[in-house]
């Protein structure tokens, strides 16, 4: 599995398409048979407590795309804090298992694990 | 060796910091700065205590005034974290804000002069572009200035991303 992370609009999706995937390969925040999952953070934010259960299914994906959500001021709402932490922790676990981790900055892919 | 670790929430800073400290000279002191005021902060403290349990840290709880700390032996110190320490020093319960930059820098220098290895964990609070009240804006600025100053003084600066250390200054230890 390749984990692709980066800020909102940092070029993650374009990068994944440059690997040869097309729109029909990319699921948006839903687990199905498509090989690429985009917007993992949306799935975690809708159910932070259940995010650990996504792990096994995510490992079977070819590519998982997730926004980096941990920077900036810690949110005032507890539910936002929990969702942010759950996203970060899940990404840490995914990065450990991933064969490659790519971070996008200004559209530039930086391989941070290979 | 002085090492600064930065990154967002839940990016693996604490785990990495502890693993790094374990590889460096014993005894290892852990300076805990979190103030417990509700069940959420209690949970966080418990979670960190559990993580440290098998790693033989001597915990020093000090939510302000780190310049008062006297370390019995020169060794390895892990300070966690700048964001709590800065908030604790800056804000009181009456809405007053204190300029804490010089005080915190001297506190860090005092610690650094008493140990062989100092690992400091900080946070990247300035990059969400949100609109905040004056107090929070001052906090973001202060922590940003502290981070710059520490990065200049320290030997190594790493940014943690998904648990992976990216070297911003120095080399990977």
């Amino acid at each position: 599995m390749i984990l692709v992370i980066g800020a909102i609009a940092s070029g993650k999706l374009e990068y994944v398409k440059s690997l040869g995937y097309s729109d029909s390969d990319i699921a948006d925040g839903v687990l199905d048979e498509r090989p690429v999952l985009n917007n993992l953070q949306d799935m975690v934010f809708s159910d932070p407590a259940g995010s650990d259960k996504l792990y096994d299914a995510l490992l079977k994906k070819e590519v998982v795309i997730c926004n980096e959500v941990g920077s900036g001021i810690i949110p005032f709402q507890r539910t936002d804090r929990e969702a942010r932490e759950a996203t970060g922790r899940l990404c840490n676990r995914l990065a450990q298992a991933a064969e490659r981790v790519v971070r996008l900055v200004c559209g530039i892919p930086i391989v941070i694990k290979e | 060796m002085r090492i600064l670790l930065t990154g967002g929430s839940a990016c693996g800073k604490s785990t990495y910091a502890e693993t790094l400290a374990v590889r460096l000279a014993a005894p290892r002191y852990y300076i805990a700065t979190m103030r417990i005021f509700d069940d959420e902060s209690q949970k966080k403290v418990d979670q960190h205590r559990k993580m440290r349990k098998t790693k033989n840290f001597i915990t020093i709880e000090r939510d302000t005034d780190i310049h008062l700390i006297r370390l019995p032996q020169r060794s390895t110190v892990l300070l966690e974290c700048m964001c709590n320490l800065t908030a604790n020093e800056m804000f009181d319960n009456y809405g007053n804000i204190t300029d804490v930059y010089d005080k915190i820098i001297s506190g860090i220098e005092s610690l650094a002069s008493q140990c062989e290895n100092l690992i400091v964990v900080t946070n990247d609070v300035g990059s969400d572009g949100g609109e905040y009240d004056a107090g929070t804006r001052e906090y973001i600025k202060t922590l940003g200035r502290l981070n710059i100053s520490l990065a200049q003084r320290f030997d190594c600066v790493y940014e943690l991303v998904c648990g992976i250390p990216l070297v911003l200054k120095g080399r990977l230890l």
Side-chain angles (χ1 to χ4, degrees):
Chain A
M1 184 266 292
I2 301 172
L3 178 64
V4 178
I5 51 150
I8 296 169
S10 59
K12 299 183 293 297
L13 203 53
E14 291 77 359
Y15 168 71
V16 170
K17 286 181 181 171
S18 80
L19 300 177
Y21 295 100
S22 61
D23 285 329
S24 58
D25 299 320
I26 303 169
D28 188 355
V30 60
L31 283 173
D32 56 20
E33 71 292 342
R34 284 174 283 184
V36 180
L37 172 75
N38 191 18
N39 289 320
L40 170 62
Q41 76 288 340
D42 290 347
M43 298 179 73
V44 178
F45 270 66
S46 66
D47 179 21
S51 59
D52 279 349
K53 296 193 196 98
L54 301 171
Y55 179 74
D56 290 335
L58 293 169
L59 288 191
K60 296 193 184 100
K61 293 284 168 193
E62 291 175 24
V63 181
V64 174
I65 308 172
C66 189
N67 285 349
E68 281 184 72
V69 296
S71 288
I73 283 290
I74 293 162
F76 296 110
Q77 293 291 335
R78 182 175 185 154
T79 47
D80 292 343
R81 289 196 293 275
E82 285 170 351
R84 220 164 79 124
E85 296 249 334
T87 307
R89 279 195 300 272
L90 182 57
C91 280
N92 293 348
R93 288 179 72 199
L94 291 172
Q96 268 193 336
E99 60 223 47
R100 199 189 312 158
V101 181
V102 184
R103 184 194 211 191
L104 271 289
V105 180
C106 298
I108 300 165
I110 303 165
V111 178
I112 63 172
K113 179 191 169 183
E114 196 159 43
Chain B
M1 190 67 81
R2 306 198 219 178
I3 305 129
L4 181 67
L5 302 178
T6 187
S9 292
C11 67
K13 299 188 294 288
S14 303
T15 308
Y16 185 81
E18 289 171 17
T19 310
L20 180 59
V22 166
R23 299 211 313 264
L24 301 170
R28 297 171 198 102
Y29 298 97
Y30 180 93
I31 301 173
T33 60
M34 184 170 242
R35 201 170 268 176
I36 298 170
F37 53 90
D38 62 4
D39 65 315
E40 190 184 358
S41 43
Q42 182 67 56
K43 208 172 123 191
K44 188 115 193 168
V45 167
D46 291 344
Q47 182 193 322
H48 277 219
R49 278 189 187 139
K50 200 173 145 200
M51 268 169 61
R52 289 202 303 277
K53 207 167 179 184
T54 56
K55 294 175 183 153
N56 289 321
F57 280 97
I58 300 158
T59 299
I60 300 170
E61 290 187 20
R62 189 88 238 183
D63 59 18
T64 55
D65 300 300
I66 55 167
H67 62 282
L68 298 177
I69 295 171
R70 294 290 169 269
L71 297 169
Q73 275 179 281
R74 292 185 68 81
S75 59
T76 297
V77 175
L78 167 51
L79 170 69
E80 182 148 18
C81 65
M82 289 299 289
C83 24
N84 282 325
L85 177 65
T86 305
N88 294 342
E89 292 279 11
M90 272 186 82
F91 304 109
D92 66 10
N93 293 328
Y94 309 99
N96 301 311
I97 297 170
T98 315
D99 183 359
V100 297
Y101 177 86
D102 290 336
K103 181 182 178 184
I104 292 179
I105 290 292
S106 13
I108 301 273
E109 284 299 341
S110 159
L111 283 179
S113 70
Q114 297 178 63
C115 63
E116 293 300 324
N117 303 297
L118 175 61
I119 304 169
V120 174
V121 174
T122 188
N123 201 321
D124 170 25
V125 295
S127 53
D128 63 6
E131 284 186 28
Y132 295 105
D133 59 88
T136 307
R137 287 202 301 273
E138 198 52 45
Y139 170 75
I140 294 170
K141 268 196 201 164
T142 304
L143 189 51
R145 284 168 61 212
L146 286 166
N147 286 344
I148 292 169
S149 176
L150 295 189
Q152 285 168 349
R153 289 156 200 263
F154 280 28
D155 306 292
C156 302
V157 183
Y158 308 152
E159 180 186 11
L160 269 290
V161 179
C162 296
I164 300 161
L166 309 184
V167 179
L168 305 183
K169 178 181 177 182
R171 62 184 171 86
L172 204 55
L173 293 175

